């Protein structure tokens, strides 16, 4: 019932996470120590939600279903999942503490405050589920407690979902307001390798957003707009390759010893571009849904390559 909604929310979180990594590179210079601490606390919470918590929830739902009543898999022997660790609890507590501290971040402070209790309770249920199956307690009670825990998980997740959406939305507003400032600052400093790399990521994210409704809601897509972004992405990649070959620029941007990283980043964005090319070809056909499997495969690979490129960007810069 709500698996699609889980994916939808986590996608939004992912978009925010990617943006925040980049902003931190230059934006920190303009922030006070308290700003940075609060900023980091919210980013940490965001990253936990999109990564570990995402995997925990999806992994559980894939085995036991996403409806109120548990779906018991046939020939069930065991279940293991991503555990709820103390470090995760600390991340949630830290973000909540900062939500009441200055400087005020406006609406997002309220969002974190509202999210706190439902998220903690959801994590406690997931932890109990983890222990129940790890200790093989289902063998003693014939899944009686397992069924009860599943219902608790379902209802707590339903409560958590809109509050998580509020947090993500408010966080994303902060990110969007900062994007252009970051690019302009890099361009003014003539950090063109970094500037074009960041443009590639932002451009690919815009394309990724256009693909989300298509992928998860099976809706339509503005092909002409997607093609326009694709053409701009092609130009961004070409510019990046040209700038990154300039040894003096690499030295200026402290990338002189990172030619391997630049090479791998280039390879991933080229692969991402190749996937976008295939998507252009598929989407240009009126009956593109007939090739649904190929369409979804290319979208997933596009997302994976983008994720790799972001990791490399953060490693290099």
């Amino acid at each position: 019932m709500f698996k699609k909604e889980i994916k939808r929310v986590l996608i939004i979180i992912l978009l925010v996470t990617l943006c925040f990594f980049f902003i931190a590179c230059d934006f920190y210079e303009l922030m006070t120590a308290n700003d940075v601490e609060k900023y980091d606390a919210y980013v940490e919470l965001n990253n936990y939600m999109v990564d570990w918590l995402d995997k925990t929830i999806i992994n559980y739902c894939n085995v036991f279903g996403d409806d109120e009543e548990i779906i018991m898999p046939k020939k069930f022997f065991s279940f293991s999942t991503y555990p709820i660790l103390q470090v995760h609890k600390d991340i949630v507590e830290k973000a909540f503490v900062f939500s009441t501290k200055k400087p005020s971040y406006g609406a997002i402070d309220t969002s974190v405050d509202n999210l706190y209790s439902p998220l903690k309770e959801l994590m406690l249920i997931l932890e109990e589920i983890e222990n129940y199956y790890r200790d093989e307690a289902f063998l003693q009670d014939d899944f009686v407690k397992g069924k009860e825990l599943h219902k608790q998980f379902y209802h707590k997740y339903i409560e958590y979902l809109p509050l998580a959406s509020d947090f993500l939305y408010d966080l994303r507003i902060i990110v969007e307001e900062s994007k252009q400032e970051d690019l302009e600052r890099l361009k003014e400093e003539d950090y063109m390798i970094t500037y074009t790399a960041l443009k590639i990521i932002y451009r690919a994210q815009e394309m990724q957003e256009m693909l989300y409704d298509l992928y998860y809601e099976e809706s339509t897509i503005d092909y002409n707009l997607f093609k326009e972004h694709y053409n701009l992405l092609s130009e961004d990649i070409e510019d990046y390759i040209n700038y990154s070959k300039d040894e003096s620029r690499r030295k200026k941007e402290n990338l002189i010893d990172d030619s391997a990283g630049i090479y791998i980043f280039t390879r991933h964005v080229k692969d991402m571009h190749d996937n976008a090319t295939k998507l252009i070809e598929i989407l240009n056909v009126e009956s593109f849904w007939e090739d649904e499997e190929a369409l979804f495969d290319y979208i997933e690979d596009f997302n994976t390559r983008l994720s790799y490129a972001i990791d490399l960007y953060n490693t290099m810069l």
Side-chain angles (χ1 to χ4, degrees):
M1 179 178 175
F2 59 79
K3 188 181 292 184
K4 185 176 288 187
E5 289 303 313
I6 293 174
K7 292 179 179 177
R8 181 67 180 175
V9 169
L10 293 172
I11 284 167
I12 298 171
I13 301 174
L14 177 60
L15 287 171
V16 174
T17 305
L18 304 185
C19 297
F20 258 108
F21 281 129
F22 303 132
I23 293 171
C25 298
D26 299 287
F27 197 54
Y28 271 4
E29 297 176 8
L30 305 179
M31 302 171 81
T32 67
N34 288 339
D35 277 324
V36 172
E37 284 188 284
K38 189 166 186 172
Y39 179 93
D40 284 347
Y42 287 176
V43 171
E44 263 194 309
L45 175 60
N46 182 75
N47 292 348
Y48 167 60
M49 292 167 70
V50 68
D51 185 19
W52 201 276
L53 186 62
D54 172 9
K55 293 173 182 175
T56 304
I57 293 169
I58 297 299
N59 188 39
Y60 177 78
C61 290
N62 283 342
V63 176
F64 297 104
D66 54 15
D67 289 314
E68 184 176 10
E69 298 298 326
I70 194 170
I71 299 174
M72 293 307 307
K74 294 180 180 179
K75 298 181 180 179
F76 181 84
F77 299 104
S78 65
F79 171 73
S80 61
T81 187
Y82 298 87
I84 305 296
L85 304 175
Q86 184 59 47
V87 65
H88 304 146
K89 298 175 184 178
D90 293 343
I91 287 170
V92 175
E93 293 297 329
K94 183 179 178 181
F96 173 68
V97 169
F98 272 104
S99 70
T100 61
K101 288 187 175 183
K102 293 182 178 180
S104 171
Y105 275 26
I108 194 171
D109 291 340
T110 302
S111 295
V112 173
D113 188 44
N114 293 337
L115 177 64
Y116 174 67
S117 292
L119 175 55
K120 273 189 64 176
E121 292 166 11
L122 177 64
M123 291 169 67
L124 286 172
I125 293 169
L126 289 168
E127 186 174 28
E128 195 170 354
I129 288 172
E130 172 203 341
N131 294 336
Y132 176 76
Y133 289 102
R134 183 195 61 202
D135 298 340
E136 298 187 338
F138 60 90
L139 295 176
Q140 281 73 51
D141 71 352
D142 195 26
F143 290 100
V144 170
K145 188 174 181 180
K147 294 174 183 177
E148 178 187 330
L149 287 171
H150 183 84
K151 283 189 176 182
Q152 292 177 22
F153 162 76
Y154 175 88
H155 289 290
K156 187 52 60 178
Y157 192 83
I158 293 299
E159 179 185 352
Y160 159 85
L161 191 59
L163 300 173
S165 296
D166 289 343
F167 168 67
L168 304 176
Y169 176 79
D170 293 335
L171 191 58
R172 190 170 181 180
I173 288 175
I174 296 173
V175 172
E176 293 297 330
E177 290 174 349
S178 303
K179 270 187 177 182
Q180 196 57 39
E181 293 178 12
D182 294 329
L183 288 171
E184 289 174 2
R185 192 177 303 115
L186 288 169
K187 194 171 185 179
E188 287 174 5
E189 294 174 359
D190 197 32
Y191 273 44
M192 298 307 292
I193 300 175
T194 310
Y195 169 76
T196 51
L198 190 53
K199 277 187 71 179
I200 290 170
I201 299 299
Y202 285 158
R203 188 84 64 197
Q205 284 182 318
E206 291 170 354
M207 296 171 68
Q208 187 183 50
E209 284 191 75
M210 297 180 68
L211 294 168
Y212 282 152
D213 283 339
L214 186 69
Y215 187 87
Y216 290 104
E217 306 296 337
E218 297 188 0
S219 62
T220 58
I221 189 170
D222 186 333
Y223 174 80
N224 291 330
L225 182 59
F226 186 78
K227 180 71 179 297
E228 180 181 334
H229 280 298
Y230 168 81
N231 291 336
L232 291 170
L233 177 67
S234 303
E235 294 175 10
D236 292 337
I237 293 174
E238 184 177 355
D239 289 342
Y240 172 79
I241 292 172
N242 291 332
Y243 282 125
S244 64
K245 291 177 180 177
D246 188 333
E247 187 173 341
S248 63
R249 286 193 175 278
R250 293 205 304 271
K251 184 175 181 180
K252 177 181 179 179
E253 299 182 39
N254 298 316
L255 297 170
I256 191 66
D257 296 323
D258 201 36
S259 57
I262 289 175
Y263 170 78
I264 299 171
F265 180 85
T266 303
R267 189 186 71 193
H268 280 302
V269 297
K270 280 184 173 181
D271 288 343
M272 183 177 68
H273 182 267
D274 289 344
N275 278 280
T277 303
K278 295 294 185 182
L279 287 168
I280 289 290
E281 294 172 359
I282 293 174
L283 295 171
N284 195 34
V285 179
E286 188 173 346
S287 56
F288 66 82
W289 278 118
E290 292 180 5
D291 201 5
E292 180 179 321
E293 185 175 351
L295 173 65
F296 285 178
D297 284 346
Y298 285 123
I299 291 176
E300 288 175 356
D301 202 53
F302 180 89
N303 293 338
T304 299
R305 295 297 176 183
L306 174 56
S307 179
Y308 287 154
I310 288 160
D311 288 342
L312 287 163
Y313 179 98
N314 292 323
T315 301
M316 289 190 298
L317 303 175

